[in-house]
Structures are given as structure tokens and as C-alpha cells.
């Protein structure tokens, strides 16, 4: 098992199976053929990070030193320049993706959002992404962002150390319930939980704002069952696959077999997410890990993959611009 994993880690751009002996996307070079075989026009990845270079460098240092909110060794695979990473996504066929800045303290959201707006203006494949934080004026700020056409928000309660039902956030939730703008929420307790993570936080928010269009990052790991229950209860609670089912994640707390039928039943609300570029394995491994779910449950088949990797996100965000 150790050898198998070491071999997999050695693989990067080159595939030992690119002669066509297998249909599994074992290496990044195989990814375009993989989605073409599914009959898709490309991939739609709702969970990608691009941050201002100085902030990005600070975040990466946390990963490099296995900081307290990371909790384990986490060698970042895609360390190129931002231009190189945009090109890498293009080469993979990721036709639409997010940037997902997130504020870790008061006073930084506006800076992150200005940067993300400039980035999206330069990179048409990127969704206009923004964040906010419980601080005075957040209601007006979110209203302005919605009117400016923000397509997706991101909040990270573990890093930001705030509660989703913080009273300061109320006007922002009211506005977002009205606009229907999707919000990617990292509120599950992986990789390291704290008092601001866990399904009860989202449960309390949705009880007050049931129409919020929420995307639960990482399928809510590790509290999968409780987050799946929220997606079952609330029409506009969605889930992203980010890092779940990969070998790396399985080491820390695998998605339980008994939940797979419920994951299949939620097939219209599950979205491809990857966490590119801060992943410790090739991008292709996320797709491979989704494809091999079929071995564990028959309904997690190619039709399910087509919905997850493209159609659900198009329903949520609209058709990508022609590029
Ligand atoms: Zn992320």
C-alpha cells in the first residue's frame, strides 16, 4: 500500500497508461480525454483558489509548515505563477472556475474583493468571486458586491474564527437570500475543527434563512451525515466534492459507505470542487477518486459524473462565456 501510494505521488504530467489501456484519469495529461469520453464540453470547478500574491504566499507558508489549522504535512502540488496556473486549468479543460478569496480578520475583505474583481476581469473563465466578514458595514458591502455582479462568495469559519449566526452578518444574509448568489462555506470541522466549525452552525443559519444558496465545501467533512441531511432538507443547500474520496483525504476520515446511496440521491446538488492549486496530488486524482465511486455504489455512474463535473454547476451559475 505504501509503495502504491509512493508511485502515485511520483506521477505528474506523464501517464504510464496514456496508451489507452485504461479509461481512468491517472495523470493530468489524461484529463481532457476523460471528460470528452463522458461527452462533456469541459469541467466546471466551483472550488479553486486565486489570492493576491502576498496573501497567497502567507497561506502557502501555513501549508508548508503544517500550521495549526492545517494539522499535517501538505505539499502543495501546483506552485507555479498565477499565469502558469491559469494555463494549467485551461490545459486540463477546466472551462469555468472560482477564485474564492476568504477573509481571516476584519478589514481585509475589500482588499481581497478588489483584487478578485481585477483577476476575473483579466481571466474570463473565472467566476467573479468575493468574501465578507462579520464587521460593521458588511450589509452595505455585500449589497454593493451583489449589484457589481459577484457570482460566488466564500466564507471560511475555521480560519476566520466567527459564527455564521453572528448578528453583524444578518443584513448580509438577508441580501443574499434575496439575490440567490451562491456562497461556498467551509464550516465542516476538517482538517482541524474549532468552536466555529460543525453542522450545527449551518443548521442555525438555515433555520433563519432557509433560502440561502449555500455550497457546503468538502461535502462537510468530516461531519458528512449531518451536512448531507441539511442538503436533503433545504432546497438550495448544495455540496462540493473538494478533496473528498482522494487517497489523501481517505487517510484522515473516509466518506462512509452507508452514506453513498444518499450521495447518489443528491446527484443534482453535488458540484465538482478541487481546491486547486493547494492540493498534495495531481488534479487528475480528484476526478479518478470520483470515478472509482462506481465500484462502491452502482448509481454513482457516468451520468452522475456528468452532472457533478458540469451540468449542475451550469444550472447554478449559467453557461460559461465562450472563450
Ligand atoms: Zn478551499
Amino acid at each position: 500500500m505504501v509503495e502504491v501510494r509512493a508511485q502515485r505521488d511520483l506521477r505528474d504530467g506523464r501517464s504510464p497508461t496514456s496508451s489507452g489501456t485504461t479509461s481512468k484519469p491517472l495523470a493530468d495529461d489524461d484529463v481532457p480525454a476523460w471528460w470528452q469520453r463522458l461527452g462533456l464540453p469541459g469541467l466546471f470547478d466551483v472550488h479553486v483558489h486565486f489570492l493576491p500574491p502576498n496573501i497567497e504566499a502567507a497561506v502557502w507558508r501555513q501549508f508548508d509548515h503544517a500550521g495549526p489549522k492545517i494539522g499535517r504535512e501538505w505539499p502543495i502540488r501546483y506552485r507555479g505563477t498565477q499565469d502558469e496556473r491559469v494555463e494549467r486549468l485551461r490545459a486540463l479543460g477546466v472551462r469555468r472556475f472560482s477564485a474564492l478569496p476568504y477573509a481571516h480578520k476584519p478589514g481585509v475583505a475589500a482588499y481581497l474583493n478588489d483584487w478578485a474583481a481585477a483577476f476575473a476581469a483579466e481571466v474570463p473563465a473565472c467566476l467573479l468571486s468575493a468574501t465578507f466578514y462579520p464587521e460593521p458595514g458588511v450589509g452595505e458591502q455585500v449589497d454593493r458586491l451583489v449589484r457589481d455582479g459577484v457570482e460566488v462568495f466564500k466564507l471560511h469559519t475555521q480560519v476566520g474564527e466567527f459564527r455564521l449566526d453572528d448578528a453583524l452578518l444578518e443584513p448580509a444574509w438577508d441580501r443574499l437570500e434575496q439575490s440567490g448568489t451562491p456562497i461556498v462555506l467551509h464550516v465542516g470541522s476538517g482538517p482541524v475543527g474549532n468552536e466555529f466549525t460543525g453542522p450545527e452552525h449551518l443548521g442555525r443559519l438555515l433555520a433563519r434563512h432557509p433560502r440561502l444558496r449555500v455550497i457546503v465545501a468538502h461535502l462537510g467533512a468530516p461531519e458528512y451525515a449531518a451536512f448531507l441531511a441539511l442538503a436533503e432538507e433545504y432546497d438550495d443547500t448544495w455540496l462540493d466534492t473538494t478533496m473528498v474520496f482522494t487517497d489523501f483525504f481517505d487517510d484522515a476520515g473516509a466518506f462512509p459507505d452507508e452514506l453513498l446511496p444518499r450521495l447518489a440521491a443528491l446527484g443534482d446538488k453535488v458540484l465538482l470542487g478541487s481546491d486547486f492549486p493547494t492540493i498534495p496530488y495531481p488534479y487528475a486524482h480528484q476526478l479518478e477518486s470520483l470515478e472509482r465511486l462506481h465500484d462502491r455504489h452502482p448509481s454513482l455512474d457516468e451520468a452522475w459524473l456528468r452532472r457533478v463535473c458540469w451540468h449542475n454547476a451550469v444550472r447554478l451559475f449559467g453557461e460559461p462565456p465562450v472563450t
Side-chain angles (χ1 to χ4, degrees):
M1 194 63 196
V2 171
E3 288 93 313
V4 169
R5 201 155 283 157
Q7 280 173 16
R8 189 178 280 127
D9 287 343
L10 285 172
R11 286 184 214 133
D12 196 356
R14 293 277 140 228
S15 167
T17 54
S18 54
S19 56
T21 51
T22 175
S23 58
K24 296 220 189 279
L26 297 174
D28 284 359
D29 283 355
D30 304 325
V31 167
W34 186 82
W35 51 255
Q36 280 161 18
R37 184 175 52 78
L38 287 175
L40 294 177
L43 299 169
F44 197 135
D45 186 338
V46 305
H47 197 131
V48 169
H49 294 286
F50 283 94
L51 299 165
N54 58 326
I55 307 254
E56 191 171 82
V59 171
W60 288 15
R61 275 197 297 277
Q62 288 295 311
F63 281 95
D64 290 345
H65 299 124
K69 295 198 172 172
I70 308 294
R72 60 191 293 199
E73 212 176 309
W74 199 300
I76 298 173
R77 170 72 59 148
Y78 296 98
R79 309 192 73 110
T81 65
Q82 295 200 332
D83 285 349
E84 285 167 352
R85 278 178 271 138
V86 168
E87 172 54 28
R88 175 67 73 125
L89 290 172
R90 196 200 59 74
L92 289 164
V94 181
R95 287 189 52 205
R96 197 86 167 122
F97 53 87
S98 53
L100 303 192
Y102 49 94
H104 62 297
K105 61 180 183 185
V108 298
Y111 168 72
L112 291 168
N113 295 340
D114 289 348
W115 185 90
F119 183 80
E122 253 178 59
V123 182
C126 184
L127 292 163
L128 182 49
S129 309
T131 188
F132 55 93
Y133 196 86
E135 55 191 320
V138 64
E140 294 78 33
Q141 184 187 32
V142 166
D143 175 56
R144 206 161 44 244
L145 290 164
V146 167
R147 282 189 282 114
D148 287 347
V150 163
E151 294 170 289
V152 62
F153 287 91
K154 166 73 186 274
L155 296 184
H156 200 311
T157 66
Q158 182 232 25
V159 170
E161 300 190 340
F162 60 86
R163 289 177 205 285
L164 290 177
D165 62 350
D166 188 311
L168 283 165
L169 290 173
E170 269 304 296
W173 299 132
D174 284 338
R175 184 66 178 99
L176 291 171
E177 207 172 16
Q178 192 185 41
S179 70
T181 316
I183 311 144
V184 177
L185 284 182
H186 185 137
V187 66
S189 299
V192 181
N194 60 22
E195 64 181 287
F196 308 100
T197 62
E200 65 279 12
H201 293 279
L202 181 59
R204 284 200 307 274
L205 176 66
L206 290 172
R208 286 181 65 87
H209 298 281
R211 289 178 301 122
L212 280 173
R213 194 158 280 168
V214 163
I215 301 170
V216 176
H218 309 285
L219 282 169
E223 295 110 336
Y224 299 111
F227 281 106
L228 255 59
L230 290 172
E232 287 159 351
E233 182 175 355
Y234 293 97
D235 285 348
D236 258 320
T237 295
W238 303 57
L239 303 157
D240 85 32
T241 64
T242 306
M243 300 189 78
V244 187
F245 312 114
T246 64
D247 298 340
F248 182 77
F249 233 59
D250 281 356
D251 289 344
F255 190 92
D257 276 340
E258 68 264 23
L259 296 180
L260 292 171
R262 290 167 63 190
L263 185 70
L266 284 164
D268 286 332
K269 305 175 85 177
V270 179
L271 302 158
L272 172 65
S274 69
D275 244 342
F276 178 92
T278 33
I279 43 177
Y281 44 73
Y283 189 95
H285 180 53
Q286 177 74 65
L287 304 173
E288 177 183 32
S289 68
L290 294 173
E291 183 170 54
R292 67 191 182 188
L293 282 173
H294 188 238
D295 301 336
R296 295 170 62 191
H297 192 277
S299 300
L300 299 168
D301 56 7
E302 291 196 352
W304 184 83
L305 286 174
R306 278 189 279 276
R307 286 185 284 168
V308 169
C309 294
W310 185 260
H311 296 295
N312 291 344
V314 169
R315 233 169 63 242
L316 190 57
F317 292 100
E319 286 283 345
V322 180
T323 47

